Amino acid sequence: MSIRVDQFIVSDQANINTAMQIIDQNGMGAVFVVDASGRMCGMATDGDIRRALLQGHDLTGPIRQVMRTDYVSLPHTATQEEVLNCLSDPIKIIPLLDTAGRPVNYACYHRYHEFQVMEPSLDGKELIYLTECIMKNWISSQGGFVTRFEKRFAEFIGMEEAFAVSNGTVALHLALTALGIGAGNEVIVPDLTFAASVNAILYTGATPVLVDVCPDTWTMDPGAVARAITPKTKAIMPVHLYGHPCHMDEIRAIAADAGCLIVEDCAESLGSEYKGAKTGSLGDAGCFSFFGNKVLTTGEGGMVVFKDREAGKRARILRDHGMSPARRYWHEYVGFNYRLTNLQAAVGVAQMERIGKLFNMRDTIFAEYDQHLKGIEGIELLPRSPWGRHVPWLYCILLSDIDHRSTRDEMIAHLKSHGIQTRPLFYPIHEMPPYRHLSPPGARYPVSERLSYSGISLPSGYSLTASDIRYICSALKQSLPSTLIV
Ligand SMILES: *Cc1c(COP(=O)(O)O)cnc(C)c1O
């Protein structure tokens, strides 16, 4: 499972180079130095060694000269509580010693702390605004925060109005419905996406038509979209996957030719720009998600924007049971209850206040990963748009190895044993049981399949530090087939 204690051990007679090799192999950033009888006499981290080398120590010099003797250790009988009390940010690994002082086990931060794929950043005014809702009894879908959130969001996207809804999936459903899409219509959607994009189309009674994606953006292939147009095509749903804007000029030209609508799925692309315009403002409707793992979160939540004011008006009514805004309990349509609560909107307003900071934090995390993973043979990084801003969401890599699936799944297991949670990329929609019938006989999705089976999302949460990312990348490199390590 995880690293054994003997993978930390180095003799006090060894040189610095040997200790570095052991650190490299265990991927834990430290060695335990023992004397001839196996008793622990010192500890050295990769940081200690780096500092020693900078101070002029030689790789052939004895490890004894650079090890620390003031390390923290605990008896191997220590309770979990005792261990947790000792682990802290600088002390990530603690040797556990037997009565003779020999290391027989170790405790490490990563055994207790699992790196999640995504964690939100909630240290703005989220709690203050939430408390305000509770104190004033405004906890339902009426209350000032909903309109404040909508207004701020609309300004940010560069649209006149925005409509807050309960999640990203219903944002898509509401947009499609307000634009009149339903039974008998076809909607073109990429094969590589989160299933909610396709589900929302199915809810309306329309038929999703799956198309392959491009290797350069991981988003829908305009050539495939053009080939999928039929007289029944009513809309195209570009999904700006992992924050990367789609080939919008091409898609807009196809939509204009075919006379069909564009509903953008921007659940993963809040803040991303295509040639200077925010995703969500490029089609007839733009749909966003504020689920807990998205760049901006309200726990659950979503937002829709429309190009056409009339569609917005319909959406407002449909969101609220289809009830006439002028005549209470008079229903104009079969509507839905897709409202966002004031509590969620309170969190949303606090998040919007820090949106620039949130984007900077994401850029920093991605730059740190790039630094460790760029140029590593066997790893491809996720694409960056040449045509605008790409707001980074999850840090994804592809394994450019031949036997993707088994290598990828072994890597996921290895990282898990190091306390690192990862995710495979989305499965190709056409392979899953409820959607198989959507793929016409003979249709092929080779790019979607290759990306899906060779991709991994790495921990990308807001709380990651540079040293966490270094640890994750070192565990990752360790799990690459050895021939691929440069
Ligand atoms: C998250 C996501 C959705 C759905 O959003 P929810 O708020 O979870 O309903 C839709 N499409 C894509 C591409 C997503 O990533």
Side-chain angles (χ1 to χ4, degrees):
M1 229 254 317
S2 33
I3 307 293
R4 297 182 317 271
V5 68
D6 52 274
Q7 292 174 273
F8 284 90
I9 306 273
V10 64
S11 153
D12 61 353
Q13 302 302 308
N15 63 23
I16 297 176
N17 191 39
T18 308
M20 275 177 64
Q21 280 174 14
I22 291 175
I23 289 180
D24 197 46
Q25 279 159 22
N26 68 27
M28 301 296 284
V31 280
F32 303 158
V33 186
V34 298
D35 65 17
S37 60
R39 285 195 193 91
M40 179 121 178
C41 57
M43 185 166 164
T45 65
D46 49 4
D48 296 331
I49 293 178
R50 213 177 16 246
R51 276 185 293 277
L53 293 176
L54 285 171
Q55 283 160 15
H57 280 268
D58 206 76
L59 279 176
T60 57
I63 186 69
R64 253 175 305 132
Q65 277 182 11
V66 304
M67 73 186 188
R68 289 163 181 265
T69 49
D70 62 346
Y71 59 89
V72 173
S73 70
L74 282 171
H76 69 103
T77 51
T79 64
Q80 173 150 335
E81 199 185 343
E82 287 166 328
V83 170
L84 284 172
N85 283 338
C86 282
L87 286 168
S88 62
D89 196 37
I91 303 170
K92 291 211 160 96
I93 295 179
I94 299 175
L96 302 176
L97 310 181
D98 66 9
T99 45
R102 289 180 297 240
V104 289
N105 202 348
Y106 67 97
C108 79
Y109 181 61
H110 304 296
R111 277 187 174 176
Y112 295 94
H113 176 89
E114 190 164 70
F115 289 109
Q116 308 293 313
V117 169
M118 191 64 189
E119 281 169 314
S121 163
L122 299 169
D123 41 17
K125 291 198 176 152
E126 286 81 355
L127 189 58
I128 295 173
Y129 291 165
L130 270 174
T131 310
E132 196 180 314
C133 298
I134 306 266
M135 302 289 279
K136 295 184 175 168
N137 273 352
W138 285 109
I139 59 167
S140 195
S141 54
Q142 287 174 13
F145 284 115
V146 177
T147 36
R148 260 166 84 181
F149 186 33
E150 288 179 333
K151 195 160 177 291
R152 247 195 133 115
F153 191 89
E155 273 164 21
F156 175 76
I157 301 295
M159 304 291 276
E160 232 172 82
E161 275 186 300
F163 302 89
V165 291
S166 15
N167 59 61
T169 308
V170 305
L172 289 164
H173 182 219
L174 186 66
L176 293 165
T177 310
L179 291 169
I181 291 154
N185 300 146
E186 289 176 356
V187 180
I188 301 173
V189 63
D191 182 54
L192 187 69
T193 182
F194 181 55
S197 319
V198 182
N199 291 344
I201 300 167
L202 289 167
Y203 301 160
T204 68
T207 305
V209 176
L210 304 173
V211 295
D212 203 3
V213 295
C214 297
D216 64 337
T217 60
W218 301 10
T219 66
M220 73 185 350
D221 175 356
V225 174
R227 288 191 294 279
I229 296 278
T230 75
K232 289 185 182 169
T233 309
K234 180 90 185 254
I236 302 173
M237 184 185 286
V239 182
H240 309 292
L241 204 68
Y242 297 106
H244 198 295
C246 297
H247 294 271
M248 288 309 289
D249 282 346
E250 291 83 347
I251 293 168
R252 287 162 83 167
I254 297 165
D257 267 359
C260 68
L261 301 162
I262 296 178
V263 177
E264 297 177 73
D265 182 341
C266 309
E268 304 178 3
S269 72
L270 174 64
S272 290
E273 288 173 13
Y274 178 82
K275 300 184 180 172
K278 294 265 175 6
T279 56
S281 68
L282 298 155
D284 298 281
C287 307
F288 297 83
S289 163
F290 311 125
F291 180 60
N293 72 2
K294 301 287 158 79
V295 165
L296 182 146
T297 186
T298 59
E300 296 275 0
M303 196 75 85
V304 200
V305 295
F306 291 96
K307 189 166 83 182
D308 172 27
R309 273 196 96 126
E310 291 305 310
K313 267 192 196 158
R314 283 194 297 278
R316 187 187 295 286
I317 297 171
L318 285 167
R319 176 179 64 173
D320 192 14
H321 300 287
M323 206 183 320
S324 159
R327 203 169 157 196
R328 201 143 179 83
Y329 300 118
W330 181 263
H331 295 261
E332 315 238 356
Y333 309 99
V334 177
F336 319 102
N337 175 359
Y338 283 173
R339 297 176 309 230
L340 189 76
T341 66
N342 203 45
L343 293 164
Q344 293 164 311
V347 176
V349 171
Q351 294 262 292
M352 282 306 292
E353 287 174 354
R354 301 190 298 134
I355 196 157
K357 185 164 171 239
L358 293 179
F359 290 162
N360 288 340
M361 287 163 85
R362 305 229 53 71
D363 284 339
T364 307
I365 291 167
F366 270 53
E368 191 67 35
Y369 266 120
D370 282 352
Q371 202 189 319
H372 294 290
L373 298 181
K374 221 172 217 165
I376 302 285
E377 204 180 316
I379 293 182
E380 282 174 50
L381 305 186
L382 80 174
R384 306 294 154 91
S385 62
W387 50 61
R389 184 182 159 86
H390 167 216
V391 168
W393 178 48
L394 298 184
Y395 195 93
C396 302
I397 56 166
L398 296 182
L399 304 178
S400 39
D401 185 58
I402 306 155
D403 186 12
H404 310 311
R405 288 187 209 207
S406 61
T407 313
R408 197 262 310 260
D409 295 346
E410 275 167 30
M411 185 178 266
I412 288 175
H414 173 89
L415 293 173
K416 188 165 168 25
S417 75
H418 282 68
I420 302 166
Q421 199 191 77
T422 58
R423 295 272 166 75
L425 295 204
F426 300 119
Y427 288 100
I429 296 287
H430 75 272
E431 289 188 359
M432 294 184 278
Y435 313 109
R436 278 186 199 141
H437 68 284
L438 300 175
S439 158
R444 306 230 58 81
Y445 309 91
V447 182
S448 168
E449 287 170 14
R450 181 180 91 83
L451 297 174
S452 172
Y453 287 106
S454 60
I456 299 184
S457 304
L458 300 176
S460 309
Y462 281 100
S463 61
L464 286 174
T465 64
S467 96
D468 292 337
I469 294 173
R470 202 173 333 116
Y471 166 81
I472 292 165
C473 292
S474 117
L476 178 78
K477 287 179 204 171
Q478 237 186 16
S479 68
L480 285 169
S482 56
T483 49
L484 296 177
I485 297 175
V486 284

